[in-house]
Amino acid sequence: MTNLLEVSGLTRKFAGLVAVDNLDMQVAAGGIHAVIGPNGAGKTTLFNLISGLLPPTSGRIILAGQDVTRLPAHRRAALGVARTFQNIRIFGAMTVLENVLTGLHTTARATLPEVIFRLPRFRRQERDAVAQAMAALDLVGLRDQANSRAASLSYGDARRLEIARAMAARPRLLLLDEPAAGLNPAETTRLADLVRTIRSAGTTVLLVEHDMGFVMDISEDVTVLSFGRRIFGGPPLAVRQDPAVIEAYLGHKVAAKLAAGATTGVRGA
Amino acid sequence: MTIPPWLDDFLWTYGNLVHALGVNGLLALSMYVVLAVGQLSLGQAAFMGLGAYSSVLMTQQLGLPFWAVLPLSVLAPVVFALVIGLPTLRLSGVYLAIATIGLGEVLRAVYLNVDLFGGALGLSGIPERADNTMIYGLLLAAILALWLVGRSGIGRAMEAMREDETAAAVMGVNLLRYKMGALVASAALAGLAGCLNAHVSSFIGPGEYGFEPAVTILSYALLGGIGTPIASVVGAFILTLLPELLRELSDLRLVLNGVIIVVAVLFLPGGVLPFRLRRRAA
């Protein structure tokens, strides 16, 4: 299987803190890959590095064979990297449809004169964009709310709007930063279905998540970070048995007890 | 075309005010363009001054006809906008505002001390080449162009940056390009306003383009609102007419003028017209 994303030797330091430490990671094309780890493990920093919001201190990021390490965020968006944010960042004053249309910014080709004089290419572009945006709203089930103010959406709907906005331009790589946070179990199940639909439509999904049930359910590959370092990489079933992972989540005392068989019935995290 | 006597009387009495309304409307639009991408510039008066001085020199020293002078008056302000914008717009925060205040002060010192610009006496005897048709024609064209741009993908990107730059960048919006574009358009509009104003008022001086007019121009957009181009123009009209309407009050005029502005800002934080451009219902 080929890799869509390859990260090698990636390091990001904030003053004295090493948030991401010499990280090597591969994300297979067409898969669902989860990054987990305790709070402060560097997961969101990793997402900011991949989406281009932060420059790395050292290391390389390769997207589909192209080195994108030095490219700013908007160039990576044009190459097919889309993302959502842990603390939802939709444009509240705009309508739901307008939010999704901003996600199609990279597809716009009309020049300023074409825009001002409403020439055919501009009109065609807007028409196509609306159709594509409505398709993205269909994907997440928000078509009926297209003309509502984005700030008026419920929390769960706002999360889905953010996914629709990220998916509008059909990205190659979708980064989901804690998509299940704050969702109830029914909403989480719907989210899992949505992520699977997105993957089968051809977009590779890389997600950060704390909901272990969700992660185990949908991901094919898991990377575990602790203090910016990769301590595990492999299929979800192997994660729970890994001693280093158990220690990172539960501390070395509990891990030692578990290893000695003193406690039974402790679930993964 | 014959002008009816009542209109002739009116323009005789209020001609300067009518000019000022149109010119200030253009300046309000120049402010709007920058605020619309979430930036703060205090250089509108400086850009206006560059347009005014450069155009008067073209008229008086080079003897160029006004049809050439008017478009060329955007040159100097645009060049200065690029020089100021390239280093400061890469940074987030108030660096553009600080640099543009600096620009205004430096230029004021230059006008005062360089003989070519007439020193403290300014430049006088400027022929009256502009008229209300040009001023209001340009104002309408600018409102229309900004409205059409606002109601497009470009306008969506601008509003997105104003709301959340990080999210806009992730959507593929080239922040630096949009900020530069807005600043250049803003400088060009202010330059045109300066040129038109100079060619209806026969005199320009260094005091007209300093910090105080810069703040006045900012207050046009803040009072009117920045959701639509027309709102900022309405703000300029109100703030230009208000001192005239309060003329009866003589000494209390400036006090009441200030009170009205403070009350408006406190109770209408989105401006007098807090609406946003409607784009595409599905």
Side-chain angles (χ1 to χ4, degrees), chain A residues 89 92-93 98 105 118 126, chain B residues 148 156 163-164 276 279:
Chain A
R89 298 180 88 149
E98 284 171 347
H105 184 79
R118 293 295 192 257
E126 282 286 294
Chain B
L148 287 167
R156 279 194 299 270
E163 279 207 44
D164 187 334
R276 53 187 294 278
R279 297 184 202 97

Side-chain angles (χ1 to χ4, degrees), chain A residues 53 73-74 77 83 85 89 91-94 97-98 101-103 105-106 112 115-116 118 122 126 130 134 147 165, chain B residues 145 148-149 151-154 156-157 159-160 163-164 166-174 178 276 279-282:
Chain A
L53 292 177
H74 69 267
R83 70 169 289 179
F85 295 88
R89 298 180 88 149
F91 306 119
M94 297 189 183
L97 176 62
E98 284 171 347
L101 286 169
T102 59
H105 184 79
T106 55
L112 194 59
V115 169
I116 290 178
R118 293 295 192 257
F122 168 75
E126 282 286 294
V130 171
M134 291 308 282
N147 293 323
R165 185 179 68 177
Chain B
L148 287 167
V149 169
R151 281 185 50 114
S152 75
I154 298 175
R156 279 194 299 270
E159 191 174 353
E163 279 207 44
D164 187 334
T166 302
V170 169
M171 295 302 114
V173 178
N174 185 340
Y178 270 74
R276 53 187 294 278
R279 297 184 202 97
R280 295 227 163 255

Side-chain angles (χ1 to χ4, degrees), chain B residues 9-210:
Chain B
D9 282 354
F10 178 81
L11 287 176
W12 178 253
T13 320
Y14 292 107
N16 287 337
L17 181 61
V18 175
H19 291 150
L21 283 172
V23 168
N24 291 345
L26 279 168
L27 291 170
L29 290 177
S30 134
M31 194 71 239
Y32 157 83
V33 179
V34 178
L35 293 173
V37 294
Q39 292 295 302
L40 177 60
S41 154
L42 284 162
Q44 267 42 47
F47 294 137
M48 180 195 187
L50 284 164
Y53 271 97
S54 65
S55 67
V56 170
L57 291 177
M58 283 185 268
T59 298
Q60 291 188 330
Q61 308 286 326
L62 305 177
L64 291 182
F66 195 65
W67 60 260
V69 169
L70 183 61
L72 287 174
S73 69
V74 307
L75 263 183
V78 164
V79 167
F80 275 82
L82 291 169
V83 169
I84 292 279
L86 281 176
T88 55
L89 288 178
R90 289 177 190 280
L91 311 166
S92 57
V94 294
Y95 297 99
L96 177 66
I98 294 168
T100 47
I101 294 174
L103 174 72
E105 291 307 302
V106 168
L107 288 174
R108 199 165 60 92
V110 170
Y111 299 145
L112 275 171
N113 293 300
V114 176
D115 288 342
L116 181 66
F117 301 114
L121 294 175
L123 298 171
S124 51
I126 306 164
E128 191 172 327
R129 298 267 168 86
D131 55 32
N132 282 322
T133 316
M134 289 183 207
I135 294 174
Y136 286 91
L138 258 175
L139 180 62
L140 284 179
I143 291 173
L144 187 65
L146 290 174
W147 186 75
L148 287 167
V149 169
R151 281 185 50 114
S152 75
I154 298 175
R156 279 194 299 270
M158 290 166 73
E159 191 174 353
M161 314 172 41
R162 197 165 75 221
E163 279 207 44
D164 187 334
E165 275 197 3
T166 302
V170 169
M171 295 302 114
V173 178
N174 185 340
L175 300 178
L176 184 63
R177 194 168 148 216
Y178 270 74
K179 289 178 193 171
M180 258 340 292
L183 188 65
V184 164
S186 160
L189 281 168
L192 290 170
C195 171
L196 290 166
N197 185 53
H199 288 84
V200 291
S201 46
S202 86
F203 162 81
I204 57 171
E208 294 170 45
Y209 310 111

Side-chain angles (χ1 to χ4, degrees), chain A residues 2 113 227 250 257:
Chain A
T2 56
F227 295 108
L250 303 176
K257 274 189 198 165

Side-chain angles (χ1 to χ4, degrees), chain A residues 123-203:
Chain A
R123 299 217 302 267
R124 198 167 52 237
Q125 172 184 302
E126 282 286 294
R127 220 172 28 237
D128 293 350
V130 171
Q132 228 174 316
M134 291 308 282
L137 285 175
D138 273 336
L139 179 75
V140 301
L142 281 176
R143 172 182 271 267
D144 294 342
Q145 313 235 40
N147 293 323
S148 315
R149 215 174 106 95
S152 72
L153 292 184
S154 71
Y155 180 83
D157 284 351
R159 281 226 172 269
R160 286 189 292 150
L161 170 58
E162 211 187 13
I163 295 176
R165 185 179 68 177
M167 282 304 295
R170 308 226 155 206
R172 279 198 277 198
L173 175 65
L174 175 64
L175 309 172
L176 297 172
D177 197 348
E178 298 199 21
L183 300 188
N184 65 38
E187 287 172 323
T188 306
T189 310
R190 275 177 73 191
L191 176 69
D193 291 340
L194 175 60
V195 172
R196 285 194 193 96
T197 311
I198 287 169
R199 188 267 303 274
S200 38
T203 295

